[in-house]
Amino acid sequence: MTGFSIDAVVTAVSEVTGPRERVGLHEPEFRGREMEYLARCIETGWVSYLGEYVERFERELAVATGTRHAVVTVNGTVATHTAMMVAGIGPGDEVLLPALTFVASANGVAHAGAIPHFVDSEITTLGLDPAKLADHLSSIAEVEGDVCRNKETGRPIRAVMPVHIFGHPVRMPALLEVAARFRLKVIEDAAESLGSLHDGRPLGGLGSMGILSFNGNKIVTTGGGGAIVTNDETLARRAKHLTTTAKKPHPYAFDHDEIGYNYRMPNINAAVGCAQLERLGDFVMRKRKLADRYRAALAGVPGVTFFGEPAGATSNYWLNAILLDDAHADERDRLIETFMKRGIQCRPVWTPMHELPMYRAAPRADLSVCEQIARRLVNIPSSPALADGLVTT
Ligand SMILES: *Cc1c(COP(=O)(O)O)cnc(C)c1O
């Protein structure tokens, strides 16, 4: 297609974001009961690891993800580390995950001593490709009893961690089928997808465990925070124990039965989380409205496509994304610079994990689609307030 022009793309996006001096990529919004709940923590002195909001936030997160249990933590990275430990994954084990993800996914695996093994993504979901995963495993792995072994490294492959990129669901039914065939545990990285549905079911509760993040830029924020969600009570108890210094429950004795972690979320953060979670439905509704506006504004613009939710998905559109046609991929940085000059914050997708120095030697599959997406994708402003003209900075 001819007629691609950077100005046309920037103009279409700026018609949606409106006449503002500066538009952030994703700004938090505190228009609910955050102040009220925070004041209650301070007035009562319950600011730290005990208090009503921690338990309430855990209960409500379980409801939001359609799971039975949630354990909140200080961030999403340690939630991933904890999920690995609770799943019995450690040194000498491999965990499959997409190379196209935020570095926290791979770090959480590495912190447990396990080895990330990178697999490819698909252009229709931006997430892990179940069909390509099956092909890769068929050629490099064998199942012995209940263990999937990497024939090239000799190591067991214990789990697969799909990541729902920008809130868009991975094709979970197909992935669960491949995981069962190769005896892999499924741990969902749902850090970006709170509030998204796949065939009407919330993400995070579709595997054995899911992890969430409440970092400042996520759809629901606690400043910093994370959670492990699961239907399995044994896993939830173990996660709670490990993240609370492995302290044995007792009215006054301080007694610990293993080397635990201080990964608990403080009550102040959980208070903000409770107030934010009350707004989740509203955030998702407005972000979906914003996505509709971008889709319409970019529909007639040559050389670029707005990334829309895959079939069967109701996405939270955490971060909106546009894909340049392959022919214009080398214009990406010039496009980003033009946006920035106009005060519109945007960015390329993360550098793929296998290109980072600490993961360059990690085992991996063919990653050609990941590399193609990385060349073509640009994230554009996604604050919910952009849907109703309320962003002011
Ligand atoms: C945000 C995020 C995490 C967790 O990050 P923290 O900053 O540690 O909370 C994990 N995975 C993905 C894909 C993320 O976007």
Side-chain angles (χ1 to χ4, degrees):
M1 189 143 186
T2 52
F4 172 76
S5 115
I6 285 180
D7 263 353
V9 179
V10 173
T11 301
V13 167
S14 66
E15 271 165 16
V16 176
T17 58
R20 300 162 207 273
E21 289 254 306
R22 206 193 74 87
V23 184
L25 190 66
H26 198 289
E27 290 169 353
E29 182 182 292
F30 305 105
R31 288 161 57 200
R33 302 174 75 179
E34 288 86 356
M35 287 292 257
E36 178 191 332
Y37 294 170
L38 272 175
R40 200 137 109 207
C41 293
I42 289 161
E43 281 158 16
T44 60
W46 292 105
V47 295
S48 194
Y49 299 111
L50 295 173
E52 58 176 323
Y53 293 114
V54 170
E55 278 171 37
R56 178 175 152 191
F57 194 37
E58 288 180 338
R59 268 196 319 275
E60 291 174 356
L61 284 172
V63 172
T65 53
T67 56
R68 282 209 274 276
H69 310 277
V71 174
V72 290
T73 58
V74 285
N75 59 55
T77 308
V78 304
T80 307
H81 177 197
T82 304
M84 293 295 141
M85 291 191 288
V86 165
I89 295 165
D93 295 331
E94 292 183 12
V95 174
L96 299 152
L97 74 158
L100 192 81
T101 186
F102 177 51
V103 72
S105 311
N107 287 347
V109 171
H111 290 169
I115 295 143
H117 180 149
F118 299 114
V119 292
D120 210 7
S121 307
E122 55 187 343
I123 193 87
T124 48
T125 67
L126 304 178
L128 191 152
D129 183 337
K132 250 185 123 166
L133 174 68
D135 285 350
H136 178 60
L137 286 172
S138 299
S139 77
I140 63 113
E142 62 194 358
V143 176
E144 302 163 355
D146 257 351
V147 178
C148 178
R149 193 168 299 281
N150 183 333
K151 290 187 283 186
E152 293 173 352
T153 63
R155 291 188 291 249
I157 305 176
R158 301 279 184 205
V160 57
M161 188 162 72
V163 185
H164 306 297
I165 302 291
F166 308 144
H168 301 295
V170 167
R171 287 193 293 126
M172 287 303 286
L175 180 74
L176 291 168
E177 188 276 316
V178 176
R181 181 143 49 97
F182 287 93
R183 309 291 193 274
L184 304 170
K185 291 186 169 126
V186 177
I187 297 165
E188 283 174 88
D189 182 336
E192 303 180 356
S193 58
L194 184 62
S196 295
L197 307 173
H198 188 309
D199 292 332
R201 297 177 63 195
L203 302 182
L206 305 177
S208 70
M209 279 178 273
I211 72 98
L212 305 173
S213 168
F214 311 109
N215 189 32
N217 64 351
K218 296 300 199 294
I219 189 163
V220 157
T221 184
T222 59
I228 299 136
V229 292
T230 181
N231 284 312
D232 186 320
E233 189 182 348
T234 310
L235 295 178
R237 277 175 192 267
R238 177 106 187 98
K240 194 71 182 172
H241 189 63
L242 275 176
T243 53
T244 51
T245 63
K247 184 180 179 299
K248 286 156 75 178
H250 190 278
Y252 50 86
F254 260 74
D255 195 6
H256 311 260
D257 57 11
E258 62 185 304
I259 300 176
Y261 297 82
N262 181 11
Y263 281 178
R264 295 170 295 187
M265 176 183 284
N267 200 46
I268 312 197
N269 300 75
V272 175
C274 288
Q276 286 268 293
L277 205 51
E278 289 172 358
R279 308 275 323 281
L280 177 61
D282 178 64
F283 289 153
V284 173
M285 193 256 294
R286 286 150 76 221
K287 285 164 78 67
R288 290 181 61 78
K289 195 161 112 187
L290 178 63
D292 280 344
R293 291 206 191 150
Y294 278 135
R295 186 183 300 106
L298 287 157
V301 179
V304 64
T305 316
F306 178 73
F307 186 86
E309 64 196 357
T314 309
S315 299
N316 67 6
Y317 283 95
W318 170 59
L319 268 194
N320 289 295
I322 56 177
L323 283 167
L324 290 166
D325 288 0
D326 219 16
H328 308 301
D330 54 3
E331 303 266 22
R332 185 198 70 181
D333 290 351
R334 225 158 55 80
L335 174 66
I336 291 173
E337 281 153 25
T338 310
F339 271 127
M340 300 297 257
K341 251 183 239 144
R342 299 245 199 125
I344 298 173
Q345 200 188 358
C346 62
R347 67 174 191 211
V349 73
W350 317 279
T351 300
M353 296 301 104
H354 64 291
E355 293 176 15
L356 302 177
M358 62 286 192
Y359 295 124
R360 221 168 263 157
R364 59 166 128 148
D366 170 73
L367 298 172
S368 49
V369 177
C370 158
E371 284 165 359
Q372 189 209 123
I373 295 170
R375 280 197 309 274
R376 295 173 49 197
L377 194 142
V378 175
N379 286 120
I380 55 175
S382 303
S383 307
L386 289 172
D388 41 32
L390 285 171
V391 165
T392 44
T393 41

